[in-house]
Amino acid sequence: MFLRRIVAVCPRAKRLFSSTGSHDFTSAIQELNKEMESVFGESPPDGLASSVNNRHVNQETQLSSQKISDSSFELTHTGHSGEAQMVDVSPKENSKRIAIANCKVLLGKKVFDLVLANQMAKGDVLTVAKIAGITAAKQTSSLIPLCHNISLTHVQVDLRLNHEDFSVTIEGEAATTGKTGVEMEAMTAVSVAGLTVYDMCKAASKDIVITDIRLKHKSGGKSGDWSWGQ
């Protein structure tokens, strides 16, 4: 009779231990403990159930830690204790570096037609925004605290009107020969050019949206070439 009762418990125990989730696993052990208590008249030693459960949890913790370790990377703008710092680039080799960024300004048909006809009250929107973008690229280190003061060899900002969605596409390119890249200079150029378009047109509409500010391409330096979507 005693053996038959143990056999009756075992198939159920096998089914309970088939769960892979930590929550279900703990619930299964608790339910098994209750059944064993009903068979033997007392619950099993705490060490048995807890050791099995702890091994399961420890395995999950180790796997999770391994995933975090595999995907972790070092932030170059923070020190060992997390404080902000400017990166020392003196050990790096000089190389020609180029970065291209772009963004889009959604104007709406009313504003688009005014810009196209050069009828905005503040004047030539595209020309003023172009100059603003070039100026901003040269002031990047003053605007973004941890950027290096880079000697730029070239800055270009182009604006193109799009009839399809009544927008302005802005593209900015920055270049230098030095120890650090010019991604922030290119992105600052298109960002400020976009803000200038907004400022020039806000009297006609407040619905203007600046969107899709992104790095499109960079070359040079240790990391080499990179392009959006590659």
Side-chain angles (χ1 to χ4, degrees), residues 2-227:
F2 180 74
L3 291 176
R4 283 199 300 272
R5 294 182 69 183
I6 293 178
V7 171
V9 173
C10 289
R12 179 170 178 80
K14 183 177 180 181
R15 182 175 69 254
L16 289 169
F17 276 93
S18 64
S19 174
T20 57
S22 60
H23 177 73
D24 293 339
F25 191 86
T26 303
S27 299
I29 291 177
Q30 292 174 351
E31 188 172 346
L32 179 59
N33 288 343
K34 291 179 181 178
E35 292 201 21
M36 293 180 71
E37 184 177 359
S38 66
V39 174
F40 297 107
E42 62 180 4
S43 60
D46 292 339
L48 176 62
S50 61
S51 63
V52 173
N53 189 37
N54 288 339
R55 282 199 300 271
H56 182 74
V57 172
N58 288 339
Q59 288 175 354
E60 287 193 345
T61 302
Q62 290 173 0
L63 289 173
S64 177
S65 298
Q66 183 177 359
K67 290 179 181 178
I68 294 174
S69 178
D70 291 343
S71 61
S72 63
F73 55 90
E74 182 180 356
L75 295 175
T76 59
H77 283 66
T78 59
H80 294 297
S81 60
E83 77 281 4
Q85 66 177 2
M86 193 172 190
V87 178
D88 182 5
V89 297
S90 57
K92 293 186 177 183
E93 297 292 334
N94 286 329
S95 67
K96 183 176 181 180
R97 301 168 184 267
I98 298 174
I100 301 173
N102 55 21
C103 78
K104 179 177 282 192
V105 185
L106 305 175
L107 299 174
K109 189 177 187 310
K110 174 187 173 182
V111 176
F112 182 88
D113 290 341
L114 290 172
V115 173
L116 181 64
N118 197 15
Q119 294 298 311
M120 295 302 301
K122 286 190 174 182
D124 188 346
V125 174
L126 303 185
T127 299
V128 175
K130 180 184 181 78
I131 296 172
I134 294 172
T135 303
K138 296 188 291 182
Q139 297 296 321
T140 300
S141 62
S142 298
L143 300 170
I144 302 175
L146 300 182
C147 280
H148 292 81
N149 187 1
I150 295 176
S151 178
L152 295 170
T153 58
H154 172 71
V155 178
Q156 181 172 333
V157 178
D158 295 316
L159 295 91
R160 184 180 71 251
L161 291 170
N162 305 307
H163 292 78
E164 297 81 6
D165 57 0
F166 307 115
S167 68
V168 181
T169 297
I170 305 174
E171 183 170 283
E173 178 178 339
T176 189
T177 298
K179 297 177 180 291
T180 189
V182 286
E183 293 94 327
M184 295 310 302
E185 282 70 18
M187 295 183 72
T188 299
V190 299
S191 299
V192 173
L195 288 169
T196 302
V197 170
Y198 188 100
D199 178 65
M200 298 284 288
C201 301
K202 68 181 186 293
S205 174
K206 300 296 188 296
D207 295 329
I208 301 167
V209 177
I210 303 171
T211 185
D212 296 334
I213 300 172
R214 66 182 65 169
L215 180 67
K216 181 179 179 181
H217 175 77
K218 61 83 60 180
S219 63
K222 183 178 179 181
S223 61
D225 292 358
W226 178 91
S227 296

